[in-house]
């Protein structure tokens, strides 16, 4: 079971910080070193790789991280089959709300474990920033991914702009708790997710898109130019991933790689929502062009906040950022064959 108590912040007053664990691979590649904070005090634990699997505990409370091995589960970018699909977006550190939403919609059981059978569960990015339970969400998804795989299902965590921002050291949206955590641990916050960390390596393995049956998922979306230029999903994902973290590149991003990481790229684009960003909105003709090019019927995106799961362009675009970041309400898209529903916070199903 993974349950955590909340922290309240008033103004600039930061209470004692509990956070972690952050687990790195020792230089000799024979040990893991976990660090965490309990009441703002730094704690450490070393574990030999031969001693895995290992559960790491969080300030003498419930389990916080389960590391079986350092292998990253394979994740393709295209799937087809007879299974249910659930999709959600923009957690932004709201762990408690997310657990309630997923439990009430039977993706999790009462213990917080996978209950979705052979279903595919998609998170279109933005676990990071704003809220104060990002670490808890990351370890929860890390564990849930393995549980889904064991049950014949799949968890697809896609990269959003806030994942990419944090990995690149853009920390302007960090909750004060994490600003303080970086200071107390005496390490730049982004380095807690460096290449040689368990969560850092795991995040770097994630895709920026996934195609499931007749639906294509991404955080922001796909600019019509990608269809006009006949760009493939494989090329979009490959080039985006190869240019993920600037400090890890031999050469600066340039050309198309730079464009993919810009405002028209899959983590920033808002062109399906008129009046948002530089783009004044894709036309119906351009949406049809995207659907035809990628051989799909629906584009499913987060990034641009709505009050609930909604559709645009006569249902061809499905918006799943239901403002979970506010910590008050959220919804999940539920798909079973041709049927689609809004899964409410209370677990009610409303036809989409």
């Amino acid at each position: 079971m993974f349950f955590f108590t909340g922290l309240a912040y008033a103004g600039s007053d930061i209470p004692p910080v509990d956070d972690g664990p952050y687990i790195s691979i020792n230089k000799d590649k024979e040990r893991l070193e976990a660090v965490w904070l309990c009441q703002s005090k730094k704690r450490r634990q070393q574990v030999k790789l031969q001693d895995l699997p290992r559960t790491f505990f969080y300030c003498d409370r419930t389990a916080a991280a389960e590391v079986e091995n350092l292998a990253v589960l394979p994740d393709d970018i295209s799937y087809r089959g007879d299974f249910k699909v659930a999709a959600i977006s923009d957690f932004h550190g709201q762990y408690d709300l997310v657990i309630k939403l997923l439990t009430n919609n039977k993706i999790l059981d009462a213990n917080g474990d996978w209950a979705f059978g052979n279903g595919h569960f998609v998170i279109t990015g933005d676990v990071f920033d704003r809220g104060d339970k990002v670490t808890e969400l990351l370890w929860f998804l890390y564990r849930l991914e393995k549980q889904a795989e064991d049950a014949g299902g799949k968890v697809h965590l896609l990269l959003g702009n806030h994942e990419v921002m944090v990995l690149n050291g853009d920390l302007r949206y960090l909750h004060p708790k994490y600003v303080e955590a970086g200071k107390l641990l005496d390490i730049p916050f982004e380095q807690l997710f460096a290449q040689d960390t368990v969560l850092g390596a795991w995040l770097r393995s994630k895709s920026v898109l996934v195609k499931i049956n007749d639906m294509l998922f991404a955080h922001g979306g796909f600019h019509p130019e990608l269809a006009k230029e006949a760009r493939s999903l494989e090329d979009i994902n490959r080039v985006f991933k190869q240019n993920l973290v600037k400090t890890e590149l031999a050469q600066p991003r340039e050309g198309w790689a730079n464009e993919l990481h810009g405002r028209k790229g899959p983590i920033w684009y808002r062109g399906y929502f008129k009046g948002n960003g530089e783009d004044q909105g894709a036309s119906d003709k351009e949406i049809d062009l995207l659907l035809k090019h990628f051989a799909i019927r629906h584009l499913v995106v987060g990034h641009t906040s709505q009050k609930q799961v909604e559709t645009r362009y006569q249902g061809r675009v499905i918006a799943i950022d239901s403002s979970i970041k506010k910590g008050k309400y959220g919804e999940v898209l539920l798909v079973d064959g041709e049927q689609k529903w809004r899964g409410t916070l209370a677990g009610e199903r409303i036809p989409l």
Side-chain angles (χ1 to χ4, degrees):
M1 296 175 64
F2 280 57
F3 298 102
F4 299 84
T5 57
L7 295 174
Y9 298 88
S12 61
D13 295 331
I14 301 176
V17 174
D18 289 352
D19 185 37
Y22 298 99
I23 305 172
S24 59
I25 305 165
N26 198 276
K27 290 182 179 180
D28 60 16
K29 296 186 178 180
E30 294 182 356
R31 292 170 293 163
L32 295 180
E33 181 172 295
V35 296
W36 63 95
L37 294 167
C38 290
Q39 295 293 288
S40 295
K41 301 295 183 182
K42 188 175 182 179
R43 301 285 186 264
R44 293 179 179 271
Q45 181 184 6
Q46 286 195 349
V47 174
K48 293 181 180 179
L49 290 184
Q50 65 191 41
D51 293 335
L52 294 179
R54 177 62 66 94
T55 298
F56 295 85
F57 290 88
Y58 179 88
C59 302
D60 300 321
R61 294 203 290 272
T62 190
E66 296 175 5
V67 181
E68 294 182 8
N69 54 60
L70 300 184
V72 175
L73 292 173
D75 196 11
D76 202 350
I77 62 169
S78 183
Y79 294 84
R80 178 165 290 278
D82 183 15
F83 44 73
K84 296 177 181 179
V85 178
I88 195 169
S89 189
D90 293 73
F91 289 171
H92 285 298
Q94 296 294 340
Y95 174 86
D96 299 289
L97 182 59
V98 167
I99 296 297
K100 182 178 180 180
L101 177 61
L102 298 183
T103 302
N104 287 347
N105 283 280
K106 297 181 172 52
I107 295 164
L108 303 178
D109 64 20
N111 293 320
D113 294 320
W114 179 258
F116 203 45
N118 69 339
H120 284 229
F121 175 42
V122 185
I123 307 100
T124 62
D126 279 10
V127 176
F128 277 90
D129 287 340
R130 294 195 169 98
D132 69 351
K133 292 187 179 179
V134 171
T135 318
E136 291 88 336
L137 278 166
L138 291 171
W139 283 118
F140 158 69
L141 292 172
Y142 182 88
R143 175 182 61 94
L144 194 69
E145 185 181 78
K146 292 179 170 59
Q147 290 184 343
E149 195 84 9
D150 290 343
K154 202 79 180 178
V155 172
H156 306 277
L157 172 61
L158 304 182
L159 295 169
N161 60 302
H162 284 268
E163 279 72 49
V164 178
M165 289 168 68
V166 169
L167 291 176
N168 281 278
D170 184 344
L171 309 178
R172 73 185 102 160
Y173 295 103
L174 277 186
H175 189 280
K177 167 186 169 181
Y178 294 108
V179 175
E180 184 70 5
K183 294 176 182 178
L184 293 168
L185 293 170
D186 193 25
I187 184 171
F189 185 77
E190 68 272 18
Q191 289 303 307
L192 295 170
F193 302 95
Q195 289 174 293
D196 62 350
T197 67
V198 173
L199 288 178
W202 177 68
L203 286 166
R204 283 166 177 77
S205 76
K206 299 307 171 191
S207 302
V208 73
L209 58 92
V210 67
K211 180 180 177 182
I212 301 176
N213 294 330
D214 63 356
M215 299 173 290
L216 180 57
F217 299 81
H219 181 64
F222 299 87
H223 194 282
E225 288 178 4
L226 293 171
K228 294 173 183 176
E229 296 169 0
R231 303 289 190 176
S232 72
L233 296 179
E234 291 76 14
D235 284 345
I236 294 168
N237 192 60
R238 175 180 53 81
V239 173
F240 189 95
K241 292 285 298 301
Q242 286 176 345
N243 293 272
L244 185 60
V245 182
K246 291 180 180 179
T247 58
E248 297 168 8
L249 303 179
Q251 301 292 334
R253 291 178 194 152
E254 58 181 13
W256 190 46
N258 205 41
E259 292 176 17
L260 282 179
H261 278 268
R263 293 291 166 180
K264 294 182 179 180
I267 64 171
W268 286 104
Y269 182 60
R270 296 187 192 269
Y272 309 143
F273 308 95
K274 294 181 180 180
N276 285 281
E278 302 89 346
D279 202 302
Q280 292 305 304
S283 67
D284 282 279
K285 184 177 180 180
E286 288 173 326
I287 294 296
D288 287 338
L289 181 64
L290 284 165
L291 299 183
K292 181 178 180 180
H293 174 65
F294 294 123
I296 55 172
R297 294 176 60 192
H298 305 282
L299 293 157
V300 186
V301 299
H303 189 46
T304 303
S305 296
Q306 316 295 329
K307 292 182 179 180
Q308 59 193 35
V309 172
E310 298 182 358
T311 63
R312 297 290 190 276
Y313 298 92
Q314 298 79 45
R316 289 170 289 176
V317 173
I318 304 175
I320 60 170
D321 179 353
S322 56
S323 300
I324 289 171
K325 65 185 178 185
K326 296 180 180 179
K328 296 179 180 180
Y329 184 72
E331 294 187 351
V332 57
L333 171 67
L334 300 171
V335 181
D336 188 355
E338 294 294 316
Q339 296 180 300
K340 297 177 178 63
W341 300 271
R342 294 164 42 207
T344 72
L345 185 58
E348 182 184 7
R349 287 190 173 196
I350 301 174
L352 187 64

